Amino acid sequence: MGSVRLKIREFAAERSWSLKEVSTRSGVNYSTLKTYAQSSGMATVDATALIKLARVFEVAIEDLIEIVEE
């Protein structure tokens, strides 16, 4: 089974947003967002958080996810 990394920091940097601002704009809990942003690979991610983040960054979910080879 593979892992995924969310490209939160990259999309936030493109908009000059802090993680706190991404949290406020998306409605994703800051501690959850910070964990996702700092992780180099996760086995599971909350689907609702993915949808919220994709909407706030105005990207497809596929663009937000990077598959990490193990």
Side-chain angles (χ1 to χ4, degrees), residues 44-62:
T44 62
V45 179
D46 179 54
T48 303
L50 278 178
I51 293 167
K52 289 179 178 181
L53 290 169
R55 284 183 182 157
V56 80
F57 290 132
E58 298 179 336
V59 298
I61 291 174
E62 294 84 7

Side-chain angles (χ1 to χ4, degrees), residues 11-57:
F11 285 114
E14 288 175 7
R15 292 158 179 77
S16 300
W17 295 348
S18 67
L19 290 181
K20 193 70 160 169
E21 189 169 358
V22 173
S23 173
T24 300
R25 289 174 178 263
S26 67
V28 176
N29 181 285
Y30 177 71
S31 64
T32 300
L33 185 67
K34 188 174 172 185
T35 299
Y36 288 170
Q38 292 177 341
S39 179
S40 60
M42 300 172 289
T44 62
V45 179
D46 179 54
T48 303
L50 278 178
I51 293 167
K52 289 179 178 181
L53 290 169
R55 284 183 182 157
V56 80
F57 290 132

